[in-house]
Each structure stands twice: as structure tokens, then as C-alpha cells.
Amino acid sequence: MNNMHPRVFLDLEQTIIDEWSNPVLINVGKISNFLRQNNVDEIEIFSFAIWDEKDEANFCCELETRLMEALGLQVRFIVHRVDQISNAVFKNTGVLWERQELITCLGKQEAFTQFCRAKFGKGDHCILLDDMVMNSVTVDTDFNRIIQAVRI
């Protein structure tokens, strides 16, 4: 593998916060334990709650520090907005999804798989922590790439 540690992606709503409009922290212990067990120092946000640059700025200003403190970890956050996810899925599939179609038709788990195939290469191991996914592991043998979903 190219990376010593997996790339860990975190959903927000119903995974680490109650909802975007009411960001009460939830599942902190489970997520913190997972991150510690995998020696994670970088968390990539993969959430359909972050639609645009305004939402991204809200996350960075209002939620990022709270999450770090609650998780008890010094980590760097990378945010992937819905428009960026849609563009990556287009790059991999040739289908340009409107944001709402991406959410309702493709769904989180398939969008994550296509996103990872478009963005990451040989030897990468990508893990999505989310409340709505099925526990699964996909191995792209041509690239020695692992795409994993973990239900929280």
C-alpha cells in the first residue's frame, strides 16, 4: 500500500452530529476509538450536508475545533463538498449528477465508491464511517485499492 494508514472519511449527520442545523455531538466514543486504532491524523469529511463553500466555511469555523476536542485528537480536516463529490463521480462514470440526484439516486455508498475510484490510486485504502452504509469492503485488484464502508 502507498499509505501507512488508511484514508478515513467521516459523514456528519447522524454519524458524529445529530443534524447540520443542530450539531449536537453523537457517537464520539466509537469514532474516537476507531480513529485511535487506525492511527488517524487526518479526517476527510464526506457528507451530503456540506453543499457549498458557505457550508464548508461553517464547518471550519463552528464544528472543526469542537470535533477535535471531543475526539481528543489533533487531526487535520479535509472537506469534500457535494459539488466536488459530484465532479469526481462524473470523472469516473461519465454521468454528471445534479446534487439532489446524486443523493437520491446514487446514494452515499455508491457515490463514495465512485469518488474514491476517481480520486485515489494504487495501494490506497479508503474507509467511510457513516450511519447509513452497509459494512462492506471492495477490492479493486487492478489497482490494489481498498474501498471500505463502516456503519457507525
Side-chain angles (χ1 to χ4, degrees):
M1 291 180 68
N2 287 342
N3 299 322
M4 289 184 61
H5 307 295
R7 302 179 78 97
V8 175
F9 297 78
L10 181 63
D11 176 48
L12 294 175
E13 293 182 304
Q14 296 301 308
T15 300
I16 189 69
I17 62 171
D18 187 33
E19 58 186 51
W20 187 245
S21 62
N22 182 33
V24 174
L25 297 176
I26 59 174
N27 298 320
V28 172
K30 286 197 295 191
I31 293 169
S32 180
N33 288 340
F34 181 91
L35 297 174
R36 287 179 197 284
Q37 289 171 358
N38 288 281
N39 299 311
V40 173
D41 59 6
E42 187 172 88
I43 299 171
E44 303 192 42
I45 301 300
F46 191 89
S47 174
F48 289 160
I50 300 182
W51 280 70
D52 52 29
E53 292 174 358
K54 180 182 174 193
D55 289 339
E56 182 178 4
N58 285 342
F59 172 82
C60 294
C61 293
E62 298 177 18
L63 202 50
E64 186 172 331
T65 302
R66 280 183 54 215
L67 285 177
M68 254 194 290
E69 289 172 357
L71 294 169
L73 299 168
Q74 285 296 318
V75 294
R76 182 171 91 99
F77 286 95
I78 298 171
V79 177
H80 302 285
R81 300 184 314 261
V82 174
D83 62 326
Q84 295 168 324
I85 295 168
S86 181
N87 288 339
V89 170
F90 171 69
K91 178 181 172 186
N92 194 57
T93 65
V95 177
L96 184 58
W97 297 88
E98 293 294 328
R99 288 187 280 194
Q100 193 58 46
E101 290 175 323
L102 178 79
I103 294 166
T104 56
C105 298
L106 203 56
K108 179 69 73 60
Q109 195 153 355
E110 185 60 23
F112 180 70
T113 299
Q114 297 304 326
F115 174 84
C116 291
R117 286 179 174 156
K119 300 283 281 184
F120 307 109
K122 290 189 176 200
D124 279 319
H125 182 181
C126 302
I127 302 173
L128 174 63
L129 305 178
D130 192 299
D131 65 302
M132 294 295 291
V133 297
M134 294 185 309
N135 291 315
S136 66
V137 177
T138 300
V139 179
D140 291 339
T141 54
D142 289 346
F143 293 99
N144 190 31
R145 175 178 46 218
I146 300 169
I147 302 170
Q148 184 175 355
V150 176
R151 178 178 279 171
I152 295 294

